[in-house]
Amino acid sequence: MSGKPERYTIGLIQMRCEPEPAANMDKAIARLQEAAKSGVQIACLPELFLSPYFCQREDPTLFDLAEPIPGPRTERLAAVARQTKMVVIASLFERRAAGLYHNTAVVFDADGTILGLYRKMHIPDDPLYYEKYYFTPGDLGFRVFPTRFGKVGTLVCWDQWYPEAARLTSLKGADVLFYPTAIGWHPSEKAEFGQRQHQAWELIQRSHALANGVYVAAVNRIGHEGPAGGGLEFWGASFISDPFGTVAARASHDREELLVYECDPKHLEDVRRHWPFLRDRRIDAYGDITRRLID
Amino acid sequence: MSGKPERYTIGLIQMRCEPEPAANMDKAIARLQEAAKSGVQIACLPELFLSPYFCQREDPTLFDLAEPIPGPRTERLAAVARQTKMVVIASLFERRAAGLYHNTAVVFDADGTILGLYRKMHIPDDPLYYEKYYFTPGDLGFRVFPTRFGKVGTLVCWDQWYPEAARLTSLKGADVLFYPTAIGWHPSEKAEFGQRQHQAWELIQRSHALANGVYVAAVNRIGHEGPAGGGLEFWGASFISDPFGTVAARASHDREELLVYECDPKHLEDVRRHWPFLRDRRIDAYGDITRRLID
């Protein structure tokens, strides 16, 4: 590590998303200000927090929700970061050009400058998660951002199922992987599969913490969106895993919450010394990872 | 899938390893025969089951434990496979040449032929696990074996911490990943860290099942080996995970057991349809996985 490692406090803002973007922006700003008052130094909002999860249907008018980056909304968020001296990670629907859109995480440093963007690399397309219609897969690769308080990596939702994404972001030096997320249950499936689905989601992300010796912080929305009996019930359960895959903090399934946790670079160093997985990687033998199937 | 997928039954032989190789061979053969009578079609023995876990110390005389493959011991195991019409996966200390040794899994098809070898790719070296002294890292890469009953991949112990190993073996078409293992607690650490260590070990392997949509079957030894108060207490807890990362069967921490489970290719197909992670891998962006660190 360079210099003396200092502890820093991260905060996850688990929220319900209202119908109107303006209301969500106001709520997010208020929560960010509360987080700063609670000592949070790096705060992360859920995926696409400015609107209901519009990917439940394919509708060309919904591209109106997208915005340029930088733009008026990133200016508002930048002002909050600057005012609170807090790093802010915000997931936005990016309009890059006419007909070209991304699902993008913006990282604001504690002085309000945009450190950079991460454009969601893995895009799902499953019933009620029709993201391939809206988002072009990211072309910026896997990214880390040297914020004032710590070096963080950003990944988004569906990325969480891919060990490669966590590995590459960690190899770039991330100490924390943030996963803004919008995942929930299909109400008709919840009774039979709901618990296993949530557990799988937590498990795969804890495994990234463990395999790479990094903190993982996943922040989800809550609430039901869509028609009664249909739609999606977002399962909340935002959580933070320590570098040994232990859940250090976990939010409820159904309440708005601020999850606060202090990350300790010394603990990360200690875990990696005792479980030195990075030492023994067979990089001479991993080349076929870039194949679709080895058939 | 080619042809009509049929279910098949796998069996994990969790055992205590005695001081003498001959006794362990006799025990293993007896257990394999019992497994076959229980309907097991693919059986797997723990890592280096023929002896105590000798890697607790570095001693050149212990290379005498190694054996050529094929050799007298593989002939005995081949006879059991042939006699029981069961696939057998056996982890052996391979003497490849003077001064060149591997930690090797041998896969016998149900007719007793050796389908092939897997030489442990990731070799640990940690207090009481001094494997780098004994084993040259494998040079056969990641492997799958089309047995009579199913296509299986073999990985060994320390490999289990590496998502790349599971991914590559799965991309080669494995439906089940077998992990012969020898892992245990340092008695002095058990009270404080034991539970978390065991949980991490299970978690990372379940994550491989989930990320790849494959069955995972890990078989460990039990018992304390080494001086009282020191040495290693092998934690057993052999388990089988289904392709969604759910623990389908788990053995105790301290008893010899045969763990039997029926794998269903249709379930595997179903999980992969509902959670189509293989569809969306960003193989254009994974090239840096072959770097030690991206610095």
Side-chain angles (χ1 to χ4, degrees):
Chain A
M1 283 181 289
S2 59
K4 185 185 164 201
E6 303 222 359
R7 297 180 181 206
Y8 49 90
T9 300
I10 65 175
L12 303 182
I13 295 168
Q14 174 166 302
M15 60 185 269
R16 181 189 310 277
C17 297
E18 312 299 337
E20 288 306 316
N24 288 311
M25 180 61 95
D26 290 345
K27 185 193 284 193
I29 289 175
R31 298 289 156 76
L32 288 170
Q33 288 167 336
E34 289 165 24
K37 281 179 198 151
S38 303
V40 170
Q41 293 165 299
I42 305 176
C44 186
L45 291 157
E47 184 182 15
L48 303 168
F49 68 96
L50 281 175
S51 59
Y53 183 68
F54 53 87
C55 312
Q56 288 197 42
R57 62 185 197 277
E58 300 191 357
D59 177 348
T61 67
L62 292 173
F63 286 101
D64 288 340
L65 291 168
E67 58 210 298
I69 299 176
R73 287 201 176 116
T74 59
E75 281 174 23
R76 284 198 69 189
L77 293 162
V80 178
R82 188 167 53 244
Q83 173 213 344
T84 57
K85 299 185 176 57
M86 183 171 70
V87 173
V88 174
I89 302 168
S91 163
L92 299 173
F93 183 15
E94 179 189 5
R95 181 189 189 281
R96 188 172 173 189
L100 184 58
Y101 301 82
H102 295 285
N103 185 328
T104 299
V106 186
V107 180
F108 301 89
D109 209 349
D111 62 0
T113 57
I114 292 181
L115 272 178
L117 310 184
Y118 167 74
R119 293 185 176 129
K120 187 173 182 177
M121 290 287 280
H122 301 92
I123 306 294
D125 198 283
D126 295 299
L128 301 194
Y129 296 88
Y130 302 115
E131 294 198 17
K132 288 192 198 298
Y133 176 74
Y134 291 103
F135 310 125
T136 290
D139 60 348
L140 298 175
F142 300 101
R143 305 210 62 193
V144 297
F145 303 95
T147 74
R148 183 180 301 183
F149 304 110
K151 205 165 176 182
V152 306
T154 45
L155 293 160
V156 178
C157 206
W158 192 239
D159 291 326
Q160 64 215 356
W161 302 99
Y162 294 86
E164 293 92 342
R167 178 70 95 201
L168 286 161
T169 307
S170 301
L171 290 179
K172 288 194 168 181
D175 291 332
V176 190
L177 307 181
F178 284 95
Y179 286 91
T181 298
I183 193 168
W185 293 299
H186 295 269
S188 63
E189 291 181 0
K190 185 180 175 188
E192 185 174 358
F193 299 110
Q195 191 186 14
R196 265 179 288 169
Q197 290 171 348
H198 165 253
Q199 287 180 350
W201 174 79
E202 189 175 274
L203 181 121
I204 194 77
Q205 293 178 88
R206 290 171 62 194
S207 82
H208 303 327
L210 184 52
N212 297 291
V214 295
Y215 290 93
V216 163
V219 53
N220 194 17
R221 66 174 68 193
I222 59 158
H224 178 264
E225 298 180 12
L232 292 170
E233 181 188 339
F234 293 93
W235 68 48
S238 302
F239 74 97
I240 293 157
S241 168
D242 92 340
F244 198 55
T246 304
V247 174
R250 185 194 289 117
S252 68
H253 281 304
D254 54 5
R255 291 193 311 278
E256 296 197 319
E257 287 184 54
L258 169 66
L259 210 59
V260 177
Y261 187 73
E262 188 183 61
C263 296
D264 183 356
K266 191 171 171 312
H267 178 57
L268 183 152
E269 174 92 10
D270 197 49
V271 167
R272 288 198 192 177
R273 282 188 194 190
H274 283 86
W275 297 87
F277 306 135
L278 294 184
R279 181 189 63 193
D280 296 328
R281 294 177 66 239
R282 289 296 304 273
I283 55 174
D284 61 304
Y286 294 161
D288 279 347
I289 286 274
T290 59
R291 292 177 63 179
R292 185 63 68 200
L293 198 71
I294 309 172
D295 50 1
Chain B
M1 285 181 287
S2 60
K4 186 186 164 200
E6 303 222 359
R7 297 180 181 205
Y8 49 90
T9 300
I10 64 175
L12 302 182
I13 294 167
Q14 174 165 301
M15 61 184 269
R16 180 188 312 275
C17 297
E18 313 298 336
E20 289 306 316
N24 289 311
M25 179 61 95
D26 290 346
K27 185 193 284 193
I29 290 175
R31 298 289 156 77
L32 288 169
Q33 288 166 336
E34 290 164 25
K37 281 179 198 153
S38 303
V40 170
Q41 294 166 298
I42 306 177
C44 186
L45 291 156
E47 184 182 17
L48 302 169
F49 69 96
L50 282 175
S51 59
Y53 183 68
F54 53 86
C55 311
Q56 288 196 43
R57 62 185 197 278
E58 299 192 358
D59 178 348
T61 68
L62 292 174
F63 286 101
D64 288 341
L65 291 168
E67 57 210 299
I69 300 175
R73 287 200 177 118
T74 58
E75 281 175 24
R76 284 198 68 189
L77 292 163
V80 179
R82 190 167 51 243
Q83 174 214 344
T84 56
K85 299 186 175 60
M86 183 172 70
V87 173
V88 174
I89 302 168
S91 163
L92 299 173
F93 183 14
E94 178 189 6
R95 181 190 190 280
R96 187 172 174 189
L100 184 57
Y101 302 82
H102 295 284
N103 185 329
T104 299
V106 186
V107 181
F108 301 90
D109 209 350
D111 62 0
T113 57
I114 292 181
L115 272 179
L117 311 184
Y118 167 75
R119 292 183 176 131
K120 186 173 181 176
M121 290 286 282
H122 301 92
I123 306 293
D125 198 282
D126 296 299
L128 301 193
Y129 296 88
Y130 302 115
E131 294 198 18
K132 289 193 200 296
Y133 176 74
Y134 292 102
F135 311 124
T136 292
D139 60 347
L140 299 174
F142 301 100
R143 305 210 61 194
V144 296
F145 304 95
T147 74
R148 183 180 301 183
F149 304 110
K151 206 165 177 181
V152 306
T154 45
L155 292 159
V156 178
C157 206
W158 192 239
D159 290 327
Q160 63 215 356
W161 302 100
Y162 295 86
E164 293 92 343
R167 178 70 95 200
L168 286 161
T169 308
S170 301
L171 289 179
K172 288 194 168 183
D175 291 332
V176 189
L177 307 181
F178 284 95
Y179 286 90
T181 298
I183 192 167
W185 292 299
H186 295 269
S188 64
E189 291 182 0
K190 186 181 173 188
E192 185 173 359
F193 299 112
Q195 191 185 14
R196 267 179 287 170
Q197 291 171 348
H198 165 252
Q199 287 180 349
W201 173 80
E202 188 175 276
L203 180 115
I204 193 77
Q205 293 178 89
R206 290 172 63 194
S207 83
H208 303 326
L210 184 51
N212 297 291
V214 293
Y215 289 94
V216 163
V219 54
N220 194 16
R221 65 174 66 192
I222 59 158
H224 179 263
E225 298 179 13
L232 292 170
E233 180 188 339
F234 293 93
W235 69 48
S238 303
F239 73 96
I240 293 157
S241 169
D242 93 339
F244 197 56
T246 305
V247 174
R250 185 193 291 117
S252 67
H253 282 304
D254 54 4
R255 294 191 309 279
E256 298 197 318
E257 288 183 56
L258 170 66
L259 209 60
V260 178
Y261 187 74
E262 188 182 63
C263 296
D264 183 357
K266 192 172 170 311
H267 177 57
L268 184 153
E269 174 92 12
D270 197 48
V271 168
R272 288 199 191 176
R273 282 188 193 189
H274 283 86
W275 297 88
F277 306 135
L278 295 184
R279 180 188 64 192
D280 297 328
R281 293 177 67 239
R282 289 296 304 272
I283 56 174
D284 60 304
Y286 295 161
D288 279 348
I289 286 274
T290 59
R291 292 178 64 178
R292 186 62 70 200
L293 199 70
I294 309 172
D295 51 1

